């Protein structure tokens, strides 16, 4: 039953009418549209921020990624490491020379040399282009007319034994020049100076006197020559051992105890460092 003037609703008209009221309802419709548009903008903005944060994070990782020798990973070498950097005397080689004697590439300061069971730590460094500077005495120059182009001398300290070693690398224009220089240095043992940890030159060993080191090892490798020698860290003559670590041995006698003799330690250090110095140039 209806009252005059009233409209009888048909099935479903209530919902459509309500929807029509909301859709066509001016302010309500505008607010609904703004809310939906705001949601779309927020999603895009969030995606943009994710991309920006990702790029910044990646850049930060590249800049602060840990490097070998970092005291705190990612923050670079600490002041403690900086003060412990071995002393370097002389001008570094030019960066444009791929075969230059670069000590930081051949013997990094923060990485010990390891050959077999032998380990040594790098100390002072001397380098330059005037090869006469490596000689103990410059009056008679065995490197004269050999074409020596540059040198690098590095001091090492054995980590397990009190042994000091001095390694000198000489660069020549070609293999024949390096071979002639090696022969000249072998003919004059002790011609190349022995440098200590502070880059100072050790006194020459006098013939017939108490020796504190073995014979130098001279090797020609490619167009380079390596000269390696070692001395006892406490200055004891070769062939003696410290108290409590065995007994001194005569030639041909087997050492007693477990510790090797000083002479054996010196030979091991010289052999290991000579190999470490020459191996980078074996194929040059």
């Amino acid at each position: 039953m209806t009252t005059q003037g009233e409209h009888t609703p048909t099935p479903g008209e209530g919902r459509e009418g309500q929807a029509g009221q909301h859709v066509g309802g001016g302010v309500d419709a505008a607010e609904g549209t703004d809310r939906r548009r705001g949601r779309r903008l927020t999603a895009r903005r969030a995606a943009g921020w994710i991309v920006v944060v990702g790029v910044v994070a990646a850049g930060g990782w590249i800049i602060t990624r840990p490097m070998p020798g970092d005291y705190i990973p990612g923050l670079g070498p600490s002041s403690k490491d900086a003060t412990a950097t071995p002393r370097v005397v002389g001008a570094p080689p030019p960066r444009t020379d791929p075969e230059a004697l670069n000590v930081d590439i051949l013997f990094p300061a923060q990485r010990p040399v390891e050959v077999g069971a032998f380990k040594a730590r790098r100390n002072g460094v001397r380098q330059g282009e005037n090869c006469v500077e490596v000689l103990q005495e410059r009056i008679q120059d065995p490197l004269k007319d050999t074409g020596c182009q540059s040198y690098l001398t590095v001091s090492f300290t054995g980590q397990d034994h009190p042994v000091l070693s001095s390694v000198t690398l000489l660069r020549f224009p070609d293999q024949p020049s390096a071979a002639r220089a090696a022969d000249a240095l072998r003919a004059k043992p002790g011609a190349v100076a022995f440098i200590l940890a502070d880059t100072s030159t050790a006194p020459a060993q006098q013939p017939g006197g108490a020796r504190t080191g073995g014979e130098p090892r001279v090797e020609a490798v490619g167009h380079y020559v390596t000269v390696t020698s070692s001395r006892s860290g406490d200055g004891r003559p070769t062939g003696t051992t410290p108290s409590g670590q065995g007994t001194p041995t005569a030639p041909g006698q087997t050492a007693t105890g477990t510790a090797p003799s000083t002479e054996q330690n010196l030979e091991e250090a010289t052999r290991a460092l000579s190999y470490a110095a020459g191996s980078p140039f074996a194929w040059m």
Side-chain angles (χ1 to χ4, degrees):
M1 179 177 181
T2 60
T3 306
Q4 186 177 4
E6 291 181 353
H7 174 67
T8 302
T10 59
E13 185 180 13
R15 290 191 298 271
E16 293 176 357
Q18 292 175 2
Q21 292 175 3
H22 286 294
V23 173
V27 176
D28 292 341
E31 290 179 353
T33 302
D34 290 342
R35 284 195 295 270
R36 288 192 296 274
R37 183 178 303 168
R39 284 194 295 271
R40 288 196 298 271
L41 291 176
T42 300
R44 293 176 183 174
R45 188 178 298 111
W49 277 111
I50 291 174
V51 173
V52 172
V53 171
V55 172
V56 172
W61 180 85
I62 293 174
I63 294 174
T64 62
R65 61 182 176 177
M67 296 295 290
D70 285 1
Y71 189 62
I72 300 177
L75 298 183
S78 68
S79 58
K80 179 181 179 180
D81 291 336
T83 57
T85 301
R87 182 183 180 187
V88 179
V89 176
R95 295 179 179 271
T96 56
D97 189 349
E99 296 184 359
L101 296 173
N102 191 315
V103 67
D104 292 321
I105 295 177
L106 298 173
F107 305 109
Q110 304 300 334
R111 185 190 308 163
V113 173
E114 296 187 32
V115 179
F118 177 80
K119 296 181 181 180
R121 177 175 54 86
R122 169 185 143 187
N123 298 318
V125 178
R126 298 185 69 91
Q127 58 191 11
E129 298 180 355
N130 186 3
C131 296
V132 176
E133 296 174 357
V134 307
L135 301 177
Q136 184 75 37
E137 297 179 359
R138 304 180 185 181
I139 299 176
Q140 295 181 354
D141 183 4
L143 298 176
K144 185 178 181 180
D145 300 327
T146 60
C148 186
Q149 297 174 325
S150 60
Y151 75 90
L152 172 67
T153 303
V154 188
S155 173
F156 291 92
T157 300
Q159 292 190 336
D160 298 327
H161 304 290
V163 175
L164 300 177
S165 299
S166 179
V167 179
T168 297
L169 295 90
L170 304 169
R171 180 186 173 188
F172 297 86
D174 49 44
Q175 294 187 14
S177 299
R180 289 194 301 270
D183 291 339
L185 292 175
R186 293 190 189 103
K188 192 177 180 181
V192 175
F194 188 102
I195 72 164
L196 302 175
D198 60 357
T199 72
S200 62
T201 301
Q205 300 189 100
Q206 301 299 326
R211 298 180 60 84
T212 59
E215 294 295 329
R217 190 184 185 104
V218 181
E219 300 288 348
V221 187
H223 58 97
Y224 297 84
V225 171
T226 64
V227 182
T228 309
S229 56
S230 300
R231 297 188 181 186
S232 176
D234 58 5
R236 289 178 290 105
T238 302
T240 63
T241 56
S243 176
Q245 297 185 9
T247 58
T249 60
Q253 179 183 353
T254 303
T256 60
T258 58
S261 66
T262 300
E263 186 174 2
Q264 290 173 330
N265 290 334
L266 295 177
E267 291 178 354
E268 179 188 21
T270 300
R271 182 173 60 253
L273 288 172
S274 177
Y275 172 81
S279 57
F281 312 116
W283 303 105
M284 289 186 179

